[in-house]
Amino acid sequence: MKKNLIQKYNVPGPRYTSYPTVPYWNGLLFSKDLWLKTLKKSFKESNATEGISLYIHLPFCESLCTFCGCNKRITKNHLVEQPYIEAVLKEWELYCAILDQKPIIKEIHLGGGTPTFFSSEHLEKLLLGILSRAKKAPNYEFSFEGHPNNTSKAQLQSLYDIGFRRVSFGVQDYSEKVQTAIHRVQSFHNVAKVTFWAKEIGYTSIGHDIIFGLPFQQLEDVVDTIEKTKSLHPDRLAFYSYAHVPWIKGNGQRGFKDSDIPKDEVKRQLYEVGKKLLSKNGYHEIGMDHFALEEDSLFESFKNKKLHRNFMGYSSSKTQLMIGLGVSSISDSWYSFAQNVKTLEEYYDCLQKGELPVYRGHILTSEDLIIRQHILNLMCQFQTSWKNEDTYFEELPEVLTQLEEMQKDGLISIKNQKITVLEAGKPFVRNICMAFDLLLKRKAPETALFSMTV
């Protein structure tokens, strides 16, 4: 990749798990009542045909990983498990009481924090409680994130028995120096052990998460990590850029200096070399920073143009409605977003009062909905078009003018009312989406909000 392109396009930008992005939500036009109105509308439109998704945030971790920007609570006290499970089930009861029929669940994803902080007994209690008030869709897909150091065979078996078939393990990097810097020390043996357990039990999609651009990371570290990963043969991989956002409140990104982090063309070389190695080993690039073997459902959905992206990341199928349960979780009715309170104390307090713990959100305008679809198309299919009236918006000519520079640089093709992201443009898909982000253009951030795009 040309160095001048990296220097030209390496700017702060969103990852577009939503549009509008969270910093641009309009709180003045949002209310819980409006959220519930759009929730019911979306549920009525989609429950019977495609079902709904649930994202459940499990925030506890025994130690702080200093690369992490997620909402978490650090504790070794496992007495926190039961009250949290009871609170999440109470929140689910409140949602079920609002809906006029039994939800049909297409997807469940357990994220965190560290979902495997919880015992298999408490995970069973949570999930059986959720499913007791719902039906499983015929083609349901349940997944969770596991920490290689504390995922037990009993947890894997319990979740498999409930219907989970996909698990992703956070690997990050196998270099001892990098692991020490990010306070995430885990051996290859531990990763291999949980991977083989999952295969033995019968999981059909096992993923590993690898990060490039971590402090002190060298090219040989990325090569070594991918070579070790190849030997375990996971079905899919997230190979994504470290997002350095130390300004976020509660962020654990400390213990190393900015100068310890690979930047610009050095960082991008880590990705390019890693990408070539993954391709050589049979992994296909899916959307942004994701790779999968041909037999994995993520590859199938990408090939069939059914790939979807939301706050859970990439998904092999779309549901119009996603309900987020747990502290800080975000829900998406397609017509609006709603986020839960960010502290455990506020979360428990709301539920003790019998109130949904939603504290902010955004109601999408007609313009938002059109832009959202274009950005989804670019992120999931590397193309978008405006041949139909309902895909055109007033400022599109200005967007296309802005994209002409990227066309000259060989990143995209614009013709026949269609944009196609070329191979050279795939590393810059966030920049291409930013051209469509009218809210970002109308009001540039005055302080740091986003990680760098490269």
Side-chain angles (χ1 to χ4, degrees):
M1 186 186 295
K2 294 178 182 177
K3 289 183 181 179
N4 62 335
L5 286 181
I6 294 172
Q7 292 161 351
K8 183 175 183 177
Y9 291 111
N10 190 23
V11 297
R15 288 178 179 255
Y16 292 112
T17 49
S18 75
Y19 182 82
T21 56
V22 175
Y24 287 91
W25 286 0
N26 188 339
L28 297 175
L29 300 179
F30 178 82
S31 69
K32 272 190 194 179
D33 287 342
L34 284 173
W35 156 241
L36 292 177
K37 185 177 178 181
T38 68
L39 168 81
K40 291 174 186 175
K41 172 181 166 71
S42 190
F43 182 76
K44 186 176 180 181
E45 289 174 351
S46 64
N47 184 53
T49 54
E50 63 184 23
I52 71 168
S53 295
L54 290 184
Y55 169 74
I56 306 172
H57 191 74
L58 302 173
F60 302 110
C61 300
E62 288 196 344
S63 64
L64 179 68
C65 301
T66 58
F67 67 89
C68 178
C70 301
N71 181 290
K72 64 267 179 186
R73 179 69 65 94
I74 308 302
T75 181
K76 292 185 184 294
N77 176 17
H78 285 263
L79 294 176
V80 298
E81 292 183 34
Q82 182 157 333
Y84 189 78
I85 295 296
E86 290 171 355
V88 172
L89 289 173
K90 174 63 177 173
E91 185 184 2
W92 178 235
E93 285 173 17
L94 292 174
Y95 272 114
C96 289
I98 290 161
L99 304 173
D100 58 1
Q101 55 182 288
K102 232 178 188 183
I104 299 170
I105 298 180
K106 174 79 175 293
E107 286 186 300
I108 294 177
H109 183 70
L110 306 181
T114 306
T116 48
F117 173 97
F118 288 77
S119 68
S120 53
E121 293 78 15
H122 281 127
L123 290 172
E124 277 183 36
K125 180 179 178 180
L126 168 66
L127 291 156
L128 293 177
I130 294 284
L131 293 170
S132 69
R133 290 180 160 270
K135 301 176 186 174
K136 291 180 186 174
N139 54 344
Y140 68 88
E141 185 173 292
F142 297 170
S143 59
F144 74 99
E145 298 165 17
H147 192 314
N149 285 352
N150 66 16
T151 300
S152 68
K153 197 169 186 180
Q155 287 169 323
L156 286 162
Q157 187 66 59
S158 292
L159 291 170
Y160 181 88
D161 292 343
I162 290 168
F164 283 71
R165 296 294 181 269
R166 187 163 74 79
V167 56
S168 61
F169 296 114
V171 172
Q172 325 323 340
D173 188 285
Y174 285 116
S175 158
E176 288 184 17
K177 185 173 184 179
V178 173
Q179 288 188 358
T180 301
I182 63 175
H183 204 239
R184 177 67 176 250
V185 177
Q186 59 194 16
S187 65
F188 174 71
H189 171 78
N190 282 357
V191 178
K193 180 175 65 176
V194 294
T195 299
F196 288 132
W197 277 346
K199 289 184 179 186
E200 179 189 327
I201 288 168
Y203 282 79
T204 54
S205 181
I206 299 166
H208 286 185
D209 293 346
I210 302 170
I211 301 177
F212 66 92
L214 289 167
F216 304 111
Q217 194 176 49
Q218 303 288 320
L219 191 57
E220 54 265 32
D221 298 326
V222 170
V223 171
D224 179 63
T225 295
I226 290 176
E227 286 299 317
K228 285 185 168 74
T229 300
K230 178 184 96 170
S231 70
L232 301 181
H233 205 61
D235 303 279
R236 64 174 72 171
L237 289 162
F239 181 47
Y240 58 93
S241 167
Y242 165 59
H244 190 54
V245 285
W247 53 83
I248 294 179
K249 186 179 179 182
N251 203 315
Q253 295 181 338
R254 55 183 183 267
F256 47 85
K257 303 188 291 290
D258 282 359
S259 57
D260 298 327
I261 300 167
K263 292 181 179 65
D264 298 334
E265 59 266 20
V266 174
K267 180 180 179 181
R268 200 63 209 178
Q269 188 188 23
L270 301 179
Y271 180 78
E272 293 298 332
V273 170
K275 177 181 170 180
K276 283 180 184 174
L277 279 174
L278 292 173
S279 177
K280 181 182 172 184
N281 291 315
Y283 290 94
H284 297 267
E285 189 172 19
I286 309 294
M288 181 181 76
D289 300 343
H290 282 67
F291 298 80
L293 298 174
E294 285 191 9
E295 55 268 29
D296 191 77
S297 62
L298 204 65
F299 175 79
E300 283 295 316
S301 64
F302 178 69
K303 187 174 70 173
N304 298 325
K305 299 191 185 303
K306 291 184 177 178
L307 191 68
H308 185 55
R309 185 170 174 83
N310 55 27
F311 289 104
M312 297 190 287
Y314 282 111
S315 169
S316 56
S317 60
K318 171 187 171 290
T319 63
Q320 184 169 300
L321 175 60
M322 183 187 77
I323 295 176
L325 302 175
V327 64
S328 79
S329 283
I330 298 177
S331 299
D332 175 2
S333 71
W334 185 258
Y335 306 109
S336 69
F337 302 118
Q339 184 172 23
N340 283 352
V341 292
K342 291 190 173 183
T343 69
L344 284 169
E345 293 74 18
E346 292 173 290
Y347 182 67
Y348 290 148
D349 185 55
C350 287
L351 291 165
Q352 282 170 1
K353 294 175 183 174
E355 300 171 357
L356 285 177
V358 169
Y359 87 106
R360 68 170 175 173
H362 179 87
I363 307 298
L364 278 80
T365 64
S366 56
E367 178 188 84
D368 290 341
L369 288 165
I370 295 171
I371 301 294
R372 178 183 192 182
Q373 190 60 60
H374 282 298
I375 288 176
L376 261 178
N377 293 344
L378 289 164
M379 294 295 286
C380 295
Q381 300 171 23
F382 290 130
Q383 61 184 36
T384 195
S385 74
W386 51 96
K387 292 178 182 177
N388 302 324
E389 277 186 27
D390 58 357
T391 58
Y392 187 86
F393 56 99
E394 191 176 340
E395 294 186 42
L396 180 61
E398 295 172 37
V399 171
L400 295 175
T401 299
Q402 185 179 341
L403 286 169
E404 284 175 4
E405 188 73 13
M406 290 187 177
Q407 183 167 230
K408 289 175 188 173
D409 286 333
L411 306 183
I412 58 173
S413 164
I414 307 174
K415 59 182 177 182
N416 300 325
Q417 297 177 287
K418 181 179 179 181
I419 294 170
T420 303
V421 181
L422 303 177
E423 192 62 35
K426 288 180 181 179
F428 304 105
V429 67
R430 289 166 69 184
N431 303 77
I432 297 163
C433 291
M434 284 168 68
F436 282 84
D437 192 336
L438 300 186
L439 296 175
L440 182 64
K441 286 194 279 190
R442 287 169 188 161
K443 188 182 178 184
E446 296 174 359
T447 57
L449 292 178
F450 305 113
S451 62
M452 303 300 280
T453 56
V454 176

Coordinates of all heavy atoms in Angstrom, one line a residue, residues 60-114:
F60 N -18.4 -8.1 34.2 CA -17.3 -8.3 35.2 C -16.1 -8.9 34.6 O -16.2 -9.8 33.7 CB -17.9 -9.2 36.3 CG -19.1 -8.6 37.0 CD1 -20.3 -9.2 36.9 CD2 -18.9 -7.5 37.8 CE1 -21.4 -8.6 37.5 CE2 -20.0 -6.9 38.4 CZ -21.3 -7.5 38.3
C61 N -14.9 -8.5 35.1 CA -13.6 -9.1 34.7 C -12.8 -9.2 36.0 O -12.9 -8.3 36.9 CB -12.9 -8.2 33.7 SG -13.7 -7.9 32.2
E62 N -12.0 -10.2 36.0 CA -11.1 -10.4 37.2 C -9.9 -9.5 37.2 O -9.3 -9.2 38.2 CB -10.7 -11.9 37.4 CG -11.8 -12.8 37.8 CD -11.3 -14.1 38.3 OE1 -10.1 -14.4 38.0 OE2 -12.1 -14.8 39.0
S63 N -9.5 -9.1 36.0 CA -8.4 -8.1 35.9 C -8.6 -7.2 34.7 O -9.3 -7.5 33.8 CB -7.0 -8.9 35.7 OG -7.0 -9.6 34.5
L64 N -7.9 -6.1 34.7 CA -8.1 -5.1 33.7 C -7.1 -5.3 32.5 O -5.9 -5.3 32.7 CB -7.8 -3.7 34.3 CG -8.0 -2.5 33.4 CD1 -9.4 -2.3 32.9 CD2 -7.5 -1.2 34.1
C65 N -7.7 -5.5 31.3 CA -6.8 -5.5 30.1 C -6.7 -4.1 29.6 O -7.6 -3.4 29.4 CB -7.5 -6.4 29.0 SG -7.8 -8.1 29.5
T66 N -5.4 -3.7 29.4 CA -5.2 -2.3 29.1 C -5.3 -1.9 27.6 O -5.0 -0.8 27.3 CB -3.8 -1.8 29.6 OG1 -2.8 -2.6 29.0 CG2 -3.7 -1.9 31.2
F67 N -5.8 -2.8 26.8 CA -6.2 -2.5 25.4 C -7.7 -2.3 25.3 O -8.2 -1.9 24.2 CB -5.8 -3.6 24.5 CG -6.5 -4.9 24.7 CD1 -7.7 -5.1 24.0 CD2 -6.1 -5.8 25.5 CE1 -8.4 -6.3 24.1 CE2 -6.8 -7.0 25.7 CZ -8.0 -7.2 25.0
C68 N -8.4 -2.5 26.4 CA -9.9 -2.6 26.3 C -10.6 -1.2 26.5 O -10.3 -0.5 27.4 CB -10.4 -3.6 27.3 SG -12.2 -3.7 27.4
G69 N -11.6 -1.0 25.6 CA -12.4 0.3 25.7 C -13.8 0.0 26.1 O -14.7 0.8 26.0
C70 N -14.1 -1.3 26.6 CA -15.5 -1.7 26.9 C -15.9 -1.3 28.3 O -15.1 -1.0 29.1 CB -15.6 -3.2 26.8 SG -15.2 -3.9 25.1
N71 N -17.2 -1.3 28.5 CA -17.7 -1.0 29.9 C -17.5 -2.3 30.7 O -18.0 -3.4 30.4 CB -19.2 -0.7 29.8 CG -19.8 -0.4 31.1 OD1 -20.0 -1.3 32.0 ND2 -20.2 0.9 31.3
K72 N -16.8 -2.1 31.8 CA -16.5 -3.3 32.7 C -16.4 -2.9 34.1 O -16.2 -1.7 34.5 CB -15.2 -4.0 32.2 CG -14.0 -3.2 32.4 CD -13.7 -2.4 31.1 CE -12.4 -1.6 31.2 NZ -12.2 -0.8 30.0
R73 N -16.5 -3.9 35.0 CA -16.3 -3.7 36.4 C -15.3 -4.8 36.9 O -15.5 -6.0 36.7 CB -17.6 -3.9 37.2 CG -17.5 -3.8 38.7 CD -17.2 -2.4 39.1 NE -18.3 -1.4 38.8 CZ -19.2 -1.0 39.7 NH1 -19.3 -1.6 40.9 NH2 -20.1 -0.1 39.3
I74 N -14.1 -4.3 37.4 CA -13.1 -5.3 37.8 C -13.3 -5.8 39.2 O -13.4 -4.9 40.1 CB -11.7 -4.6 37.7 CG1 -11.5 -3.9 36.3 CG2 -10.6 -5.6 38.0 CD1 -11.6 -4.9 35.1
T75 N -13.4 -7.1 39.4 CA -13.6 -7.7 40.7 C -13.2 -9.1 40.7 O -13.4 -9.8 39.6 CB -15.0 -7.5 41.2 OG1 -15.2 -8.1 42.5 CG2 -16.0 -8.2 40.2
K76 N -12.8 -9.7 41.8 CA -12.5 -11.1 42.0 C -13.7 -11.7 42.8 O -13.6 -12.9 43.1 CB -11.2 -11.4 42.6 CG -10.0 -11.0 41.6 CD -8.7 -11.4 42.3 CE -7.5 -10.9 41.4 NZ -7.4 -11.6 40.1
N77 N -14.6 -10.9 43.2 CA -15.7 -11.3 44.1 C -16.8 -11.9 43.2 O -17.6 -11.2 42.6 CB -16.2 -10.2 44.9 CG -17.4 -10.5 45.8 OD1 -17.7 -11.7 46.0 ND2 -18.1 -9.5 46.2
H78 N -17.0 -13.2 43.2 CA -18.0 -13.8 42.3 C -19.4 -13.8 43.0 O -20.3 -14.3 42.4 CB -17.5 -15.3 42.0 CG -16.5 -15.2 40.9 ND1 -16.7 -15.4 39.6 CD2 -15.1 -15.0 41.0 CE1 -15.6 -15.3 38.9 NE2 -14.6 -15.1 39.7
L79 N -19.5 -13.2 44.1 CA -20.8 -13.1 44.7 C -21.7 -12.1 43.9 O -22.9 -12.0 44.1 CB -20.7 -12.6 46.2 CG -20.1 -13.6 47.2 CD1 -20.0 -13.0 48.5 CD2 -21.0 -14.9 47.2
V80 N -21.0 -11.3 43.0 CA -21.7 -10.3 42.2 C -22.5 -11.0 41.1 O -23.4 -10.4 40.5 CB -20.7 -9.3 41.6 CG1 -20.0 -8.5 42.6 CG2 -19.8 -10.0 40.6
E81 N -22.3 -12.3 40.9 CA -22.9 -12.9 39.7 C -24.5 -13.0 39.9 O -25.2 -12.6 39.0 CB -22.4 -14.4 39.5 CG -20.9 -14.4 39.1 CD -20.4 -15.8 38.9 OE1 -21.2 -16.7 38.4 OE2 -19.2 -16.1 39.1
Q82 N -24.9 -13.6 41.0 CA -26.3 -13.8 41.1 C -27.2 -12.6 41.1 O -28.2 -12.6 40.3 CB -26.6 -14.6 42.4 CG -28.1 -14.9 42.6 CD -28.4 -16.1 43.5 OE1 -27.5 -17.0 43.6 NE2 -29.6 -16.1 44.1
P83 N -26.9 -11.5 41.8 CA -27.7 -10.3 41.7 C -27.8 -9.7 40.3 O -28.8 -9.2 39.9 CB -27.1 -9.3 42.7 CG -25.8 -9.9 43.1 CD -25.9 -11.3 42.9
Y84 N -26.6 -9.8 39.6 CA -26.6 -9.3 38.2 C -27.5 -10.1 37.3 O -28.3 -9.6 36.5 CB -25.2 -9.3 37.7 CG -25.1 -8.5 36.3 CD1 -25.2 -7.1 36.3 CD2 -25.1 -9.2 35.1 CE1 -25.1 -6.4 35.1 CE2 -25.0 -8.5 33.9 CZ -25.1 -7.1 33.9 OH -25.0 -6.4 32.7
I85 N -27.5 -11.4 37.4 CA -28.3 -12.3 36.6 C -29.8 -12.0 36.9 O -30.6 -11.9 36.0 CB -28.0 -13.8 36.9 CG1 -26.6 -14.2 36.5 CG2 -29.0 -14.7 36.3 CD1 -26.3 -14.1 35.0
E86 N -30.1 -11.9 38.1 CA -31.5 -11.6 38.5 C -32.0 -10.2 37.9 O -33.1 -10.1 37.5 CB -31.7 -11.6 40.0 CG -31.5 -13.0 40.6 CD -31.5 -13.0 42.1 OE1 -31.4 -11.9 42.7 OE2 -31.5 -14.1 42.7
A87 N -31.1 -9.3 37.9 CA -31.4 -7.9 37.4 C -31.6 -8.0 35.9 O -32.6 -7.4 35.3 CB -30.3 -6.9 37.7
V88 N -30.8 -8.8 35.1 CA -31.0 -8.9 33.7 C -32.3 -9.6 33.4 O -33.0 -9.2 32.5 CB -29.8 -9.7 33.1 CG1 -30.0 -10.0 31.6 CG2 -28.5 -8.8 33.2
L89 N -32.6 -10.6 34.2 CA -33.9 -11.4 33.9 C -35.1 -10.4 34.2 O -36.1 -10.5 33.6 CB -33.9 -12.6 34.8 CG -33.0 -13.8 34.4 CD1 -33.0 -14.9 35.4 CD2 -33.4 -14.3 33.0
K90 N -34.9 -9.6 35.2 CA -36.0 -8.6 35.5 C -36.2 -7.6 34.3 O -37.3 -7.3 33.9 CB -35.6 -7.8 36.8 CG -36.6 -6.7 37.1 CD -38.0 -7.2 37.4 CE -38.9 -6.1 37.8 NZ -40.3 -6.5 38.0
E91 N -35.1 -7.2 33.8 CA -35.1 -6.3 32.6 C -35.8 -7.0 31.4 O -36.7 -6.4 30.7 CB -33.7 -5.8 32.2 CG -33.8 -4.8 31.1 CD -32.4 -4.4 30.6 OE1 -31.4 -5.0 31.0 OE2 -32.3 -3.6 29.6
W92 N -35.5 -8.3 31.2 CA -36.1 -9.0 30.1 C -37.7 -9.2 30.4 O -38.5 -9.1 29.5 CB -35.5 -10.4 30.0 CG -36.0 -11.3 29.0 CD1 -36.5 -12.6 29.2 CD2 -36.2 -11.1 27.6 NE1 -36.9 -13.2 28.1 CE2 -36.8 -12.3 27.0 CE3 -36.0 -10.0 26.8 CZ2 -37.1 -12.4 25.7 CZ3 -36.3 -10.1 25.4 CH2 -36.8 -11.3 24.9
E93 N -38.0 -9.4 31.6 CA -39.4 -9.5 32.0 C -40.2 -8.2 31.7 O -41.3 -8.2 31.2 CB -39.6 -9.8 33.5 CG -39.3 -11.2 33.9 CD -39.3 -11.4 35.4 OE1 -39.9 -10.5 36.1 OE2 -38.7 -12.4 35.9
L94 N -39.5 -7.1 31.9 CA -40.2 -5.8 31.6 C -40.4 -5.7 30.1 O -41.5 -5.2 29.7 CB -39.3 -4.6 32.1 CG -39.2 -4.5 33.6 CD1 -38.2 -3.4 34.0 CD2 -40.5 -4.1 34.2
Y95 N -39.4 -6.1 29.3 CA -39.6 -6.0 27.8 C -40.7 -7.0 27.4 O -41.5 -6.6 26.5 CB -38.3 -6.3 27.1 CG -37.4 -5.1 26.9 CD1 -36.2 -4.9 27.6 CD2 -37.8 -4.1 26.1 CE1 -35.4 -3.8 27.4 CE2 -37.0 -2.9 25.9 CZ -35.8 -2.8 26.5 OH -35.1 -1.7 26.3
C96 N -40.7 -8.2 27.9 CA -41.7 -9.2 27.5 C -43.1 -8.7 27.8 O -44.0 -9.0 27.1 CB -41.4 -10.5 28.1 SG -39.9 -11.3 27.5
A97 N -43.2 -8.0 28.9 CA -44.6 -7.4 29.3 C -45.0 -6.4 28.4 O -46.2 -6.2 28.2 CB -44.5 -6.9 30.7
I98 N -44.1 -5.7 27.7 CA -44.4 -4.6 26.8 C -44.8 -5.1 25.4 O -45.7 -4.6 24.8 CB -43.2 -3.6 26.6 CG1 -43.0 -2.8 27.9 CG2 -43.4 -2.7 25.4 CD1 -41.6 -2.3 28.0
L99 N -44.2 -6.3 25.1 CA -44.5 -6.9 23.7 C -45.8 -7.6 23.8 O -46.1 -8.3 24.8 CB -43.4 -7.7 23.3 CG -42.0 -7.0 23.3 CD1 -40.9 -8.0 23.0 CD2 -42.0 -5.9 22.2
D100 N -46.6 -7.7 22.7 CA -47.9 -8.3 22.7 C -47.9 -9.7 22.4 O -49.0 -10.3 22.3 CB -48.9 -7.5 21.8 CG -48.4 -7.4 20.4 OD1 -47.3 -8.0 20.1 OD2 -49.1 -6.8 19.5
Q101 N -46.8 -10.3 22.1 CA -46.7 -11.8 21.8 C -45.3 -12.3 22.2 O -44.4 -11.5 22.5 CB -47.0 -12.1 20.4 CG -46.2 -11.3 19.4 CD -46.5 -11.6 17.9 OE1 -46.3 -12.7 17.5 NE2 -47.1 -10.7 17.3
K102 N -45.2 -13.6 22.2 CA -43.9 -14.2 22.6 C -42.8 -13.9 21.6 O -43.0 -14.1 20.4 CB -44.1 -15.7 22.7 CG -43.6 -16.3 24.0 CD -43.8 -17.8 24.1 CE -43.5 -18.2 25.5 NZ -43.6 -19.7 25.7
P103 N -41.7 -13.3 22.1 CA -40.6 -13.1 21.1 C -40.1 -14.4 20.6 O -40.0 -15.4 21.2 CB -39.5 -12.4 22.0 CG -40.3 -12.0 23.2 CD -41.4 -12.9 23.4
I104 N -39.7 -14.3 19.3 CA -39.0 -15.4 18.6 C -37.5 -15.0 18.5 O -37.2 -14.0 17.8 CB -39.6 -15.7 17.2 CG1 -41.1 -16.1 17.4 CG2 -38.8 -16.8 16.5 CD1 -41.8 -16.2 16.1
I105 N -36.7 -15.7 19.2 CA -35.3 -15.3 19.3 C -34.4 -15.9 18.2 O -34.3 -17.1 18.1 CB -34.6 -15.6 20.6 CG1 -35.4 -14.8 21.7 CG2 -33.2 -15.2 20.7 CD1 -34.9 -15.0 23.1
K106 N -33.9 -15.1 17.3 CA -33.0 -15.5 16.2 C -31.5 -15.6 16.7 O -30.8 -16.5 16.3 CB -33.2 -14.6 15.0 CG -32.2 -14.8 13.8 CD -32.7 -15.9 13.0 CE -31.8 -16.1 11.7 NZ -32.0 -15.0 10.8
E107 N -31.1 -14.6 17.4 CA -29.7 -14.5 17.9 C -29.7 -14.1 19.3 O -30.4 -13.3 19.8 CB -29.0 -13.4 17.1 CG -28.6 -13.7 15.6 CD -27.8 -12.7 15.0 OE1 -28.2 -11.5 14.9 OE2 -26.6 -13.0 14.6
I108 N -28.7 -14.7 20.0 CA -28.3 -14.3 21.3 C -26.8 -14.1 21.3 O -26.1 -15.0 20.8 CB -28.7 -15.2 22.5 CG1 -30.2 -15.3 22.6 CG2 -28.1 -14.8 23.8 CD1 -30.6 -16.4 23.7
H109 N -26.3 -13.0 21.8 CA -24.8 -12.9 21.9 C -24.5 -12.4 23.3 O -25.0 -11.4 23.8 CB -24.2 -11.9 20.9 CG -22.8 -11.8 21.0 ND1 -21.9 -12.8 20.5 CD2 -21.9 -10.8 21.4 CE1 -20.7 -12.5 20.7 NE2 -20.6 -11.3 21.3
L110 N -23.6 -13.2 24.0 CA -23.1 -12.8 25.3 C -21.8 -12.1 25.2 O -20.8 -12.7 24.7 CB -22.9 -14.0 26.2 CG -24.1 -15.0 26.4 CD1 -23.7 -16.1 27.3 CD2 -25.3 -14.2 26.9
G111 N -21.7 -10.8 25.5 CA -20.5 -10.0 25.4 C -20.1 -9.4 26.8 O -20.8 -9.6 27.8
G112 N -19.1 -8.6 26.8 CA -18.6 -8.1 28.1 C -17.6 -7.0 27.9 O -17.4 -6.4 26.9
G113 N -16.8 -6.8 29.0 CA -16.6 -7.7 30.1 C -16.1 -9.1 29.7 O -15.6 -9.3 28.7
T114 N -16.3 -10.0 30.7 CA -15.9 -11.4 30.5 C -17.1 -12.3 30.8 O -17.4 -12.6 31.9 CB -14.7 -11.8 31.4 OG1 -13.7 -10.8 31.2 CG2 -14.2 -13.2 31.1

